[in-house]
Amino acid sequence: MKLKVGAFLGGALFGIGLALSGMTQPSKIVGFFDFGPAWDPSLAFVMLGALLVYAPLYRWVVRKLDRPLWAPQFSLPTRTDLDWRLLTGASLFGVGWGLGGYCPGPALTSIGAGSRQALLFGAAMVVSMALYRWVTRPRATRTEPNAVVDG
């Protein structure tokens, strides 16, 4: 139960921050990625502010705490290589973010605020995730409807 409360509080704080900074408005995101005369640098300031808070706090927490407050252990990434899946996913994320003006966090916040455009984006995101899972599953499980997959 503690983990769910912590995740909810973290998500709520993130959503409030997105809303207060205006980052749930696609026009702010598209304005940042459009380097023309109407370029809007506010997203860069929001990111810089987040990094200035997060980076020192992250280093302190990992050094001083044996484990997270609401989890049995830290689960930090161990891979450091760049593979085609990471590069392709990051590229698709960036293109989708630039074209649609949403990334998953702001889209969920905007759906909660009643945005139909965000709802359409969210539906496309869910369909894309399902398609990815289907494409990356082993071939045998895609052709055999009752096949069982380990893991």
Side-chain angles (χ1 to χ4, degrees):
M1 182 65 176
K2 286 182 184 179
L3 182 61
K4 291 180 183 179
V5 171
F8 173 78
L9 292 174
L13 181 63
F14 181 67
I16 290 167
L18 289 172
L20 289 176
S21 65
M23 293 302 126
T24 59
Q25 301 169 9
S27 60
K28 295 287 262 180
I29 307 307
V30 173
F32 176 74
F33 287 115
D34 179 7
F35 294 110
W39 182 61
D40 180 2
S42 59
L43 176 61
F45 291 116
V46 170
M47 287 184 192
L48 181 62
L51 283 172
L52 289 173
V53 171
Y54 173 78
L57 188 60
Y58 169 82
R59 290 183 56 85
W60 181 81
V61 164
V62 170
R63 260 188 294 143
K64 295 293 183 187
L65 298 181
D66 295 329
R67 63 177 193 82
L69 296 177
W70 291 302
Q73 66 184 29
F74 286 107
S75 55
L76 303 174
T78 56
R79 289 185 62 176
T80 58
D81 61 321
L82 301 175
D83 64 353
W84 69 271
R85 290 175 58 190
L86 174 66
L87 295 173
T88 302
S91 299
L92 288 172
F93 177 87
V95 167
W97 191 26
L99 291 175
Y102 287 113
C103 72
L108 292 175
T109 303
S110 296
I111 288 170
S115 169
R116 280 194 234 160
Q117 183 182 14
L119 186 60
L120 179 62
F121 177 88
M125 183 173 66
V126 169
V127 168
S128 297
M129 289 188 300
L131 181 63
Y132 171 80
R133 286 189 67 132
W134 181 78
V135 167
T136 59
R137 276 196 332 213
R139 186 181 258 308
T141 60
R142 280 186 268 152
T143 56
E144 299 173 25
N146 296 326
V148 176
V149 179
D150 291 334

